[in-house]
Amino acid sequence: MEKLARAHVLVCGGTGCSSSGSKIIIPALREKLQAKGMEDEVRVVETGCHGLCEMGPLVIVYPEGVFYVRVKPEDVDEIVETHLVKGRTITRLLYREATTLETVPGYDKIAFYKKQKRYALANCGHINPESLEEYIGADGYEGLAKALDMTPEAVIEEIKASGLRGRGGGGFPTGLKWQFTRAASGDKKYVICNADEGDPGAFMDRSVLEGDPHRIIEGMAVCGYAIGSDEGYIYCRAEYPLAIKRLRNAIAQAREAGLLGEGILSGKFNFDLHIKEGAGAFVCGEETALMASIEGRRGMPRPRPPFPANSGLWGKPTNINNVETFANVPSIMRDGAGYFASQGTETSKGTKVFALTGKINNTGLAEVPMGITMREIIYEIGGGISDGRNFKAVQIGGPSGGCLPESLLDLPIDYESLTRAGAMMGSGGLVVMDETTCMVDVARYFLNFTQDESCGKCTPCREGTKRMLEILNRICEGMGKEEDIPLLENLAKSIKGASLCALGQTAPNPVLSTLSFFRDEYEAHIREHRCPAGACAALIGYTITDKCRGCGLCKKACPAGAISGETKNVHVIDKKTCVRCGECQAKCPFNAIDKS
Amino acid sequence: MNIKNLADLRRIKEQVKSETSSRRENETQIIVGMGTCGIAAGARAVMMAVLDEVTKRSLRNVSVMQTGCIGMCQKEPLVDVVRPGEPRITYGNVKPEDIPRIVSDHLVNGRVVSDLVVARL
Ligand SMILES: Cc1cc2nc3c(=O)[nH]c(=O)nc-3n(C[C@H](O)[C@H](O)[C@H](O)COP(=O)(O)O)c2cc1C
């Protein structure tokens, strides 16, 4: 028997922590432990994402559960000598709360984790994603075993009873979708996992695939059994190489163990999986475009009906769900629908994973019960706004979503409440903005994205988004006209009503929601040629006040050569040559440069 | 590995759970003094003996931990046993050969090994 390791050192190997250096820390730790002859005593485990990516690379030392952040290769010696040999915690590497600045030793005591309910992410960061045994050790594949002992109809009833709804954006009831696909006639049926994850800034699905790939395989197999399918596809963007590698590894392990393939768990159920790599077009996340892409055709949506449940991949009945949707299935099957259904609100059950980004202290991934307020997410989990600035808005739902202002921070979040507020749940991207963000510019950013990603098949989306973008561009440049606002609203209405797929139908949302909550910013740009947030380069200018001591630092910093003046005399900025980059203001030691 | 049924899954699960028991802080603990004094007095061999014994007995809900110098350097190697709801017992001048007794009598069965005790907290 392998000797019990008294300590386990978990190092995050997710994409975030890998890029901040965990790839070097793991071999360094192993080497140091070997040099000390402690390699049998202490086990180093590479895990998936813990969500607190801002603080990476993360290293957690068990049994104490001490949580070290921003660990550098130079810290490895001390972790081994001081912590692992002598049992002393290294205070300088501990996490410090953004709000109180206090150090917190234990994982479970950190505010970022306290409010979370990790259900879909339960294993992420806690098991080795390349080990089937560790997944089984965390109750893995018990949900599938239980499902195979039930009738397919009973499995569908269980999913329906849980209240699970699609996490890919639409929020369609998952059990009902499975029922439709089961009821569709056809000898061949398919299961597809949508791992395209195209929303800018979103990385929920990637973290699950990287940190707990067997969970997706198990969820898809349960679905296959329920709908009567023996074959599935995971459609994953090629920009997720680590996710694809871990999935391939997990699929091979599952096949070898008899958890995929013929006669799963020595019964009569057969099911196998393929991975299809996508090229990363946003529109390929739309289900009909996605299926066209798997078939080898250009990824363009087609009108529905027929829905995939009746005519999907190669014209066969197909059930397509998002990664996070499938990630919830194994535990629902294992524990029964009760726990899941007890979480959340009347219409939206369970938990949702959000990717927190923007002007917030703890950027990262957080899984919270539905019905939590935006204020709790931003201030308690996210640690508040960074650099001591003030909150202005939070964008939710990605390019199809909208911006919520301060007055809606206490809204309990669920599918319906967000839609009513003019935003949407989407896939769970949350971008927090502070007072230095211009809301017209934000709308322009998202519209630029959808315009770029429009596949061009239908005119309202292809042409309409382009015209809207032109208008937003001219407003940001100070050349907006009074009639631009009604024109935007008019175009938005046509595009929403006439586009072929949800890409176009939702593309105007960021404009409409900023118009409804931040109309005054649009008006200031148009009427006063002023950007209240001071963000639109064309509308701001810099002037040097008489506080200037003539040190010349600004002159040196200016990339455009727009500043002139003699040493020890007040300098001046030439408005025509100035490119409004703000470098001079950043360099001035006397606070003598004003932005207006 | 071929997994045929739920029983197979449960068996693997139990095995993994015991291998990963050190990812929890358990209420029952055995703690070896690993300050400079402890190491000089032979604490590493004692630690290895503890790990061997805990592995041999497949003790699942025990944390093996280490601590620094507590000021009783002449009594090193020191080993503490903590059981929920009972006083913490410190054993002194512990040799690797003493470990099976400390583990089986005290850690598992709750009977303190009186001849080695140097302190009760
Ligand atoms: C433009 C566009 C992009 C989409 N991108 C994704 C995506 O990246 N991931 C995803 O799961 N669903 C995406 N969807 C939604 C899918 O069409 C589909 O509704 C979803 O995969 C169904 O799974 P669910 O019921 O589990 O949410 C997108 C839809 C549109 C219109």
Side-chain angles (χ1 to χ4, degrees):
Chain A
M1 195 196 299
E2 208 181 314
K3 177 149 25 168
L4 177 93
R6 68 177 162 88
H8 282 212
V9 183
L10 272 56
V11 185
C12 178
T15 294
C17 284
S18 299
S19 50
S20 57
S22 67
K23 279 279 172 290
I24 318 172
I25 290 170
I26 294 166
L29 265 171
R30 293 219 167 98
E31 212 172 286
K32 180 76 189 171
L33 286 168
Q34 201 145 24
K36 291 243 129 201
M38 289 173 34
E39 69 269 30
D40 295 335
E41 246 173 274
V42 179
R43 194 188 296 177
V44 180
V45 185
E46 178 176 346
T47 69
C49 180
H50 290 269
L52 197 53
C53 311
E54 174 76 20
M55 291 290 152
L58 303 175
V59 173
I60 298 151
V61 185
Y62 284 102
E64 301 93 336
V66 173
F67 192 83
Y68 291 132
V69 301
R70 295 205 173 132
V71 175
K72 289 189 266 324
E74 305 86 274
D75 301 326
V76 164
D77 278 6
E78 195 175 343
I79 291 178
V80 174
E81 306 266 357
T82 306
H83 191 138
L84 292 168
V85 175
K86 298 188 181 152
R88 271 186 242 147
T89 304
I90 306 164
T91 315
R92 71 176 178 87
L93 292 176
L94 290 178
Y95 174 74
R96 221 171 254 283
E97 289 292 354
T99 39
T100 58
L101 297 180
E102 274 168 27
T103 58
V104 195
Y107 203 120
D108 44 346
K109 313 250 169 8
I110 295 175
F112 181 76
Y113 293 110
K114 259 196 295 194
K115 277 251 154 171
Q116 293 197 42
K117 279 228 161 64
R118 298 197 135 214
Y119 194 73
L121 297 180
N123 292 341
C124 276
H126 297 280
I127 65 165
N128 174 354
E130 299 193 355
S131 160
L132 169 61
E133 288 79 7
E134 287 206 9
Y135 180 64
I136 294 174
D139 309 324
Y141 288 107
E142 275 184 34
L144 176 62
K146 258 180 102 175
L148 296 187
D149 268 346
M150 298 160 69
T151 62
E153 289 78 10
V155 172
I156 291 174
E157 284 311 313
E158 199 68 35
I159 298 293
K160 276 165 107 180
S162 75
L164 176 64
R165 295 169 65 176
R167 299 296 191 243
F172 192 82
T174 305
L176 202 56
K177 197 189 267 191
W178 291 17
Q179 188 180 349
F180 289 154
T181 322
R182 170 149 198 95
S185 56
D187 46 348
K188 179 81 187 174
K189 293 179 185 175
Y190 291 101
V191 177
I192 297 178
C193 173
N194 188 341
D196 191 58
E197 192 159 65
D199 286 10
F203 55 103
M204 300 71 64
D205 296 347
R206 189 190 72 205
S207 289
V208 176
L209 296 169
E210 288 178 0
D212 200 9
H214 280 288
R215 182 178 289 266
I216 302 306
I217 297 175
E218 184 181 355
M220 290 182 75
V222 170
C223 174
Y225 176 72
I227 67 166
S229 156
D230 63 355
E231 197 174 358
Y233 281 86
I234 301 172
Y235 186 88
C236 184
R237 52 177 50 225
E239 283 116 317
Y240 285 180
L242 186 60
I244 291 170
K245 180 180 147 222
R246 298 240 167 101
L247 273 172
R248 284 197 199 291
N249 173 62
I251 289 173
Q253 287 171 341
R255 277 189 195 134
E256 206 191 302
L259 296 164
L260 276 181
E262 307 222 326
I264 290 174
L265 287 166
S266 60
K268 289 201 191 71
F269 173 54
N270 307 330
F271 189 72
D272 211 342
L273 283 176
H274 312 276
I275 297 175
K276 171 78 187 174
E277 290 181 42
F282 178 60
V283 76
C284 283
E286 194 283 333
E287 55 192 27
T288 60
L290 185 152
M291 291 185 294
S293 171
I294 294 181
E295 292 170 7
R297 293 183 290 120
R298 185 166 165 187
M300 281 196 182
R302 60 158 176 82
R304 297 172 306 176
F307 285 94
N310 292 309
S311 174
L313 193 60
W314 288 298
K316 308 290 183 197
T318 301
N319 183 85
I320 175 163
N321 279 123
N322 166 260
V323 172
E324 194 185 327
T325 312
F326 281 126
N328 281 305
V329 169
S331 331
I332 293 175
M333 290 318 298
R334 190 194 62 220
D335 307 336
Y339 175 77
F340 193 88
S342 74
Q343 298 289 310
T345 68
E346 198 50 44
T347 59
S348 312
K349 301 298 183 190
T351 55
K352 177 78 195 87
V353 185
F354 289 103
L356 310 181
T357 52
K359 308 285 177 65
I360 191 168
N361 279 312
N362 298 330
T363 57
L365 216 56
E367 181 170 356
V368 290
M370 295 273 193
I372 194 172
T373 66
M374 203 58 97
R375 191 183 298 282
E376 289 171 282
I377 298 183
I378 295 173
Y379 288 92
E380 294 180 36
I381 296 172
I385 310 301
S386 47
D387 298 326
R389 293 215 175 92
N390 289 317
F391 171 87
K392 184 188 234 171
V394 53
Q395 209 279 349
I396 177 164
S400 312
C403 292
L404 303 179
E406 171 110 48
S407 61
L408 288 176
L409 277 182
D410 292 311
L411 184 76
I413 302 177
D414 71 13
Y415 288 101
E416 280 66 30
S417 69
L418 286 173
T419 307
R420 268 196 307 273
M424 88 183 227
M425 179 76 74
S427 63
L430 279 185
V431 189
V432 177
M433 299 157 192
D434 68 13
E435 59 216 351
T436 64
T437 317
C438 166
M439 301 313 289
V440 187
D441 190 42
V442 167
R444 176 168 75 152
Y445 168 83
F446 281 107
L447 207 69
N448 190 28
F449 177 85
T450 34
Q451 203 281 313
D452 214 38
E453 295 286 346
S454 168
C455 76
K457 184 169 180 175
C458 72
T459 318
C461 175
R462 183 185 66 232
E463 300 299 326
T465 55
K466 202 164 190 109
R467 296 290 92 80
M468 283 184 81
L469 182 61
E470 282 168 4
I471 298 171
L472 291 171
N473 276 334
R474 79 173 170 246
I475 296 178
C476 287
E477 276 156 22
M479 293 187 291
K481 298 185 240 140
E482 200 56 42
E483 58 273 24
D484 278 347
I485 294 181
L487 189 55
L488 278 174
E489 284 169 332
N490 209 337
L491 275 167
K493 210 166 136 204
S494 313
I495 297 170
K496 279 175 84 90
S499 291
L500 170 59
C501 82
L503 191 151
Q505 287 156 16
T506 59
N509 286 356
V511 181
L512 291 176
S513 83
T514 46
L515 266 174
S516 82
F517 295 119
F518 301 95
R519 187 179 279 259
D520 52 330
E521 289 199 30
Y522 282 81
E523 288 166 353
H525 283 74
I526 295 172
R527 293 180 192 156
E528 304 160 38
H529 306 288
R530 186 172 64 83
C531 173
C536 290
L539 299 184
I540 53 174
Y542 291 89
T543 39
I544 302 181
T545 65
D546 53 11
K547 279 196 230 153
C548 173
R549 307 266 282 271
C551 71
L553 280 180
C554 56
K555 193 155 85 178
K556 271 204 213 98
C558 179
I563 301 181
S564 55
E566 297 295 321
T567 311
K568 298 207 172 142
N569 286 312
V570 175
H571 284 44
V572 283
I573 300 176
D574 176 35
K575 296 247 150 45
K576 287 212 187 67
T577 4
C578 172
V579 292
R580 303 175 186 90
C581 65
E583 271 303 299
C584 52
Q585 193 186 36
K587 289 280 151 57
C588 178
F590 307 107
N591 262 334
I593 302 182
D594 281 352
K595 178 161 101 171
S596 57
Chain B
M1 179 174 61
N2 193 359
I3 301 170
K4 292 190 200 64
N5 47 40
L6 194 57
D8 282 356
L9 284 169
R10 296 252 157 92
R11 191 176 39 72
I12 298 171
K13 178 160 99 180
E14 288 313 307
Q15 197 184 327
V16 176
K17 284 227 156 120
S18 76
E19 276 172 29
T20 53
S21 66
S22 32
R23 278 182 221 173
R24 297 181 291 276
E25 190 164 10
N26 296 293
E27 287 193 338
T28 305
Q29 302 175 341
I30 178 160
I31 305 160
V32 183
M34 297 282 274
T36 310
C37 46
I39 293 172
R44 282 206 60 78
V46 171
M47 173 62 94
M48 298 322 274
V50 169
L51 291 176
D52 279 338
E53 197 60 28
V54 170
T55 309
K56 215 170 356 175
R57 296 176 163 269
S58 305
L59 298 181
R60 203 162 300 128
N61 297 314
V62 172
S63 286
V64 181
M65 303 172 77
Q66 78 285 55
T67 186
C69 173
I70 56 160
M72 264 200 286
C73 311
Q74 78 282 11
K75 294 255 163 58
E76 294 278 3
L78 293 169
V79 172
D80 287 16
V81 170
V82 181
R83 289 169 46 95
E86 294 174 19
R88 173 175 180 148
I89 304 292
T90 302
Y91 296 104
N93 297 322
V94 178
K95 290 179 277 309
E97 319 66 284
D98 299 327
I99 292 300
R101 231 170 12 119
I102 295 177
V103 170
S104 69
D105 288 9
H106 189 180
L107 198 67
V108 178
N109 293 315
R111 274 182 280 120
V112 176
V113 184
S114 329
D115 54 315
L116 295 172
V117 174
V118 293
R120 262 169 225 266
L121 293 177

